[in-house]
Every structure is written in C-alpha cells, then in structure tokens.
Amino acid sequence: MSDKAAPTVAQKGLQNIVVGQSKLSLVNGTEGKLIYAGYKIEDLAEHATFEEVIFLLWNLRLPHKDELETLRRQLAVQMHLSPELISIMKRLPVKATPMAVLRTVVSALSLWDPDADVNTPDENKRKARQLTAKVPTIVAAWERIRNGKAPIDPNPDLTLAANFLYMLKGEMPNEKEVAVMDAYLVLLSEHGMNASTFSARVTTSTLSDMYSAITTAIGTLKGAAHGGANEEAMRMFFEIGSANKVEKWFEDNVKTGKKRVMGMGHRVYKALDPRAAVLNKKAKEMAEATGNMQWYDLASKLEQTARADEDFIKKNLYANVDYYSAIALYTIGIPMDQFTPLFAIARIPGWSAHVIEQWADNRLIRPDVDYVGPMDLPWVPIEKR
Ligand code: ACO
C-alpha cells in the first residue's frame, strides 16, 4: 500500500471522472448532443465531407476551399502502401480477424518511418496524415488479400470515402454509397474521452510515439463493449432473422438476462445518441434504395420493443452509434467483420488530434488503485508451499 493518505475509491469504470480538458468535442449525454470544435454533429453529417471534419479536428476551424483541396491531395498521395508492407500482409494468416490485422499493420508502419520517435507538432501532424490516409488502404487491401485478390491502388482523384469503397470492391461506388460512407466517417471521427481515445492519451502521456498510441487505441476499440459492438449488432440481427421474431427473441434473451441488445446503451448518453438518429435516417435511405428493408425493419422493431420495456426506460438505454451503423454498412456491402476496422478509419483523425493535444500539455496519466489483498504474509520457501 502507498504511504500517502488512503486514496478515495473511484467510480468503477472511472464513470464521471474528468481526466482533463479538450477543445475537440463536447458530449452531452443528458441532452443527447455532440459538438466537434463548436459545430453540431447534425450539421457536419449533413454538409461536411470527412476531409473537412479532419481539417476541423486538426486545426479547430473549418477549412477554406484551397486548404481543403490541399489536405485532400496530401491525404490522397499518402494512401499508397509500400510493397514491403503489402508483402507482410500477404504473409499473415488469412483467418486472422481484420481488427487484429489492422492493429499489427499499423504497428508495423512505424518500422519504415525513420522519424517515428520524433514527437514535434509538425512530425505528429505528418504522422496523423499518414495514418489517416493509409488505414483505409490497409483495411481494403486486407479484404482483398484474404479473399485471394490483388490489392487495388488508391485513385488520387477520389476522396477518402470514395477511395475506400473503390479499393474494397474494385469498382467506382455510386454517389449514394459515398454520401453514406462520408456521413458515417464524419459521425464517428471524434467522441470525447471514450475508452480508445483515453488509451491513446495514456500511451502518449508516457512520451511514447503516435504509432504506439494509435495501435493502443485500435486494440481498445476492438472490444465488443466499444467499437466491436457494430459487428455484434449485425450478428444479433442475423440471429433474430426477421422483424416478426423480435419480441420472442427479446423475451427469451434480453429479459432473461442472457444477452444484451448490442448497439444499445452508452456510458455517457442517457438520451438518444445523436449519431444514432442520423444513422437511422441514412440506414433507412440506403435500405430503400436497395429495396431490401428486412434488416432495417428488424432493427427498427427491436429498438421499439426495447424502448417500450420498463427496464430499458428505467436504465435510460437507447440506441447508440453502432446500432444503425451496422445496417447502413451492411447495406452498402461492407463485410460484417470489417465494420469495426471502418470505425477505426473514422476515428484515426480524432485519436491523432487527441495525441497532439496531449503533447501540447502533457503530464503522465497514472491513476491509483486501492489495494484490497492480504498483508504481511510470511515468506514460505518453494519446497514448503
Ligand atoms: N442491453 C441490455 N441491458 C443493458 C445494455 C444493453 N445493451 N446496456 C446496459 N444494460 C444494463 C446492464 O445490464 C446494467 O443493468 P443492471 O444495473 O441491472 O446490472 C445497466 O444497464 C448498466 O450497464 P453497465 O454495463 O453497468 O453500463 P456501462 O455504462 O458500464 O456500459 C455499455 C455501457 C458497455 C455501452 C453497455 O451499455 C453495453 O454493453 N452495451 C452493449 C454494447 C454496445 O453497444 N457497445 C457500444 C457502445 S458505443 C461505443 O463504444 C462506440
């Protein structure tokens, strides 16, 4: 036990603990509001491209036309992967999950960066651009490699959203798909002190480098309680099968405490997650455009069933960002186990902005823990234990 005064017992899971200040985003969980550097998420999802939001997160203001085009070009030329990196990816086991591959390849990227450990603001901005540009290519390349296909080179004339879909499917995406992808990337690019952002800031606070921080964040995002919930939500929709089976499934699984509704509930939002509201609309539009309403109708019915349940009402459990994003992504043809890597693509700008903000005013993040184990045990030699 430490020799200072006994620490106060923190809230389990650090709930409601403020760990610092940030200019990047405001998450108001009571009112269901999300603001990036002063701008409402609804406005950004409606009007901004992913590149515009990336500029906003890295500069805390919206870009002028020429600044936006410069950033788009800088990102587009950085999207290319080296033959060495592709060759590493080709040697990975094809059964490896896309999130594990992403975590490994992002970590490997640092090995070819001679300035990986130079942590000046300019160097960190360069690394932020490089990671934001290369991660979509890594995700798309892995999808092709694991299916025995050659990765497709990025097209420098496209935006990140369009390029990702192009590299994934090998054909030019239509406008609707790009618009949904852009909105998705905008909506998920930043979110206060969530678990993966916190882990990136903890890594940075030890004076470790940007690649390490982003690798840490990817590992944290992977969990089913965080970014992994979008894939789990889609698996749940498949398990249920159709809208008319929702009520029975809910009674048999959720009411009995066997399962949670994946994509519902949130540590901070005790009202509807504003991102879920926008994604609900986008998922519906996409489903209507493809003429397949099965999954949207099922999700909508499950949300209504859950929201009518007294436990869900009492505990303020609403759909979160992962709920309708699962339907939107599935409808534009993203494989289920690529949903969480897509979340990572969206969040790299936010994570990297937090890394840069942490460097600007750093202090080692090192909380305390209450020791509750035994004390003063006598030493017993190994042969006598
Ligand atoms: N379905 C059913 N019950 C739930 C759900 C759910 N999705 N979420 C929370 N609850 C219940 C819990 O059983 C618990 O009930 P109890 O008090 O009777 O034991 C109560 O609500 C509080 O749950 P906690 O797990 O303590 O809440 P916490 O704030 O720690 O967890 C979390 C938040 C992890 C998101 C949780 O709501 C959950 O597991 N949701 C499903 C997974 C998910 O969608 N994750 C994505 C979150 S958004 C993101 O990270 C991008």
Side-chain angles (χ1 to χ4, degrees):
M1 202 175 315
S2 75
D3 54 4
K4 50 191 179 165
T8 44
V9 178
Q11 279 278 55
K12 196 170 178 195
L14 298 183
Q15 182 161 14
N16 295 329
I17 305 290
V18 176
V19 296
Q21 296 187 325
S22 175
K23 291 187 176 154
L24 295 168
S25 62
L26 169 79
V27 184
N28 180 329
T30 328
E31 293 173 29
K33 283 190 184 152
L34 173 60
I35 285 166
Y36 292 174
Y39 295 94
K40 284 195 209 81
I41 194 67
E42 291 83 356
D43 286 342
L44 294 171
E46 186 65 31
H47 305 295
T49 60
F50 185 38
E51 279 83 350
E52 250 171 318
V53 169
I54 294 170
F55 188 99
L56 174 66
L57 293 172
W58 291 346
N59 298 280
L60 300 176
R61 66 174 176 83
L62 288 170
H64 300 298
K65 239 181 171 173
D66 55 332
E67 291 172 321
L68 182 60
E69 181 51 19
T70 303
L71 177 65
R72 197 199 63 73
R73 289 221 151 269
Q74 282 175 329
L75 292 171
V77 296
Q78 280 282 335
M79 288 185 86
H80 182 75
L81 301 182
S82 68
E84 289 87 351
L85 204 74
I86 296 277
S87 123
I88 285 190
M89 291 180 74
K90 285 186 173 161
R91 275 182 274 144
L92 298 175
V94 286
K95 290 243 156 69
T97 65
M99 272 308 265
V101 168
L102 183 60
R103 189 192 56 216
T104 303
V105 177
V106 164
S107 179
L109 262 184
S110 73
L111 307 176
W112 281 275
D113 186 341
D115 294 322
D117 287 312
V118 181
N119 295 301
T120 58
D122 280 351
E123 275 302 310
N124 275 338
K125 280 184 196 154
R126 178 187 61 78
K127 285 177 226 162
R129 284 196 298 274
Q130 138 134 308
L131 284 158
T132 300
K134 290 203 187 322
V135 165
T137 317
I138 293 169
V139 174
W142 178 246
E143 185 56 29
R144 298 189 65 86
I145 290 170
R146 72 170 170 167
N147 286 304
K149 297 181 189 160
I152 294 175
D153 278 339
N155 175 340
D157 296 328
L158 299 179
T159 61
L160 283 174
N163 235 329
F164 171 71
L165 290 172
Y166 164 68
M167 293 186 292
L168 186 83
K169 299 186 188 183
E171 57 192 43
M172 279 295 175
N174 65 41
E175 258 178 51
K176 227 182 185 66
E177 289 169 334
V178 175
V180 170
M181 184 56 62
D182 241 328
Y184 172 83
L185 295 170
V186 164
L187 287 165
L188 278 93
S189 54
E190 162 57 13
H191 204 241
M193 198 48 66
N194 59 86
S196 52
T197 298
F198 182 55
S199 63
R201 288 189 84 130
V202 170
T203 300
T204 303
S205 83
T206 69
L207 310 183
S208 189
D209 66 291
M210 174 76 84
Y211 295 99
S212 301
I214 301 299
T215 305
T216 308
I218 292 171
T220 308
L221 185 74
K222 181 171 170 283
H226 190 14
N230 50 14
E231 178 183 343
E232 295 303 325
M234 200 63 224
R235 293 198 188 285
M236 174 186 73
F237 298 143
F238 273 119
E239 181 190 313
I240 299 171
S242 61
N244 61 6
K245 294 188 182 149
V246 160
E247 276 159 352
K248 182 166 176 2
W249 181 88
F250 189 80
E251 278 302 315
D252 292 352
N253 294 282
V254 184
K255 294 308 285 175
T256 53
K258 279 193 233 158
K259 289 183 181 163
R260 290 185 171 201
V261 179
M262 298 313 284
M264 292 193 85
H266 198 275
R267 173 58 65 79
V268 181
Y269 291 119
K270 302 304 167 197
L272 180 65
D273 180 336
R275 302 166 299 175
V278 180
L279 283 162
N280 181 341
K281 232 175 86 195
K282 300 280 171 201
K284 187 168 185 212
E285 283 166 15
M286 258 333 279
E288 282 166 351
T290 59
N292 178 1
M293 297 299 289
Q294 177 185 3
W295 303 113
Y296 178 82
D297 286 347
L298 189 165
S300 179
K301 172 86 183 168
L302 178 58
E303 187 192 14
Q304 285 164 25
T305 306
R307 287 301 309 144
D309 179 78
E310 56 179 16
D311 274 340
F312 274 62
I313 296 171
K314 197 172 75 204
K315 295 174 190 171
N316 292 315
L317 301 171
Y318 292 81
N320 64 48
V321 69
D322 286 327
Y323 194 79
Y324 284 105
S325 67
I327 304 289
L329 297 180
Y330 185 77
T331 315
I332 52 176
I334 309 291
M336 264 193 294
D337 61 356
Q338 291 283 19
F339 290 2
T340 315
L342 219 80
F343 192 154
I345 293 175
R347 192 52 65 82
I348 302 271
W351 287 332
S352 53
H354 276 274
V355 168
I356 290 165
E357 202 177 50
Q358 184 68 33
W359 271 105
D361 185 20
N362 185 45
R363 187 166 187 234
L364 176 71
I365 300 173
R366 199 296 188 196
D368 228 326
V369 67
D370 260 340
Y371 175 69
V372 292
M375 297 281 285
D376 301 328
L377 297 177
W379 171 254
V380 183
I382 196 158
E383 53 287 353
K384 295 206 174 145
R385 280 174 221 159

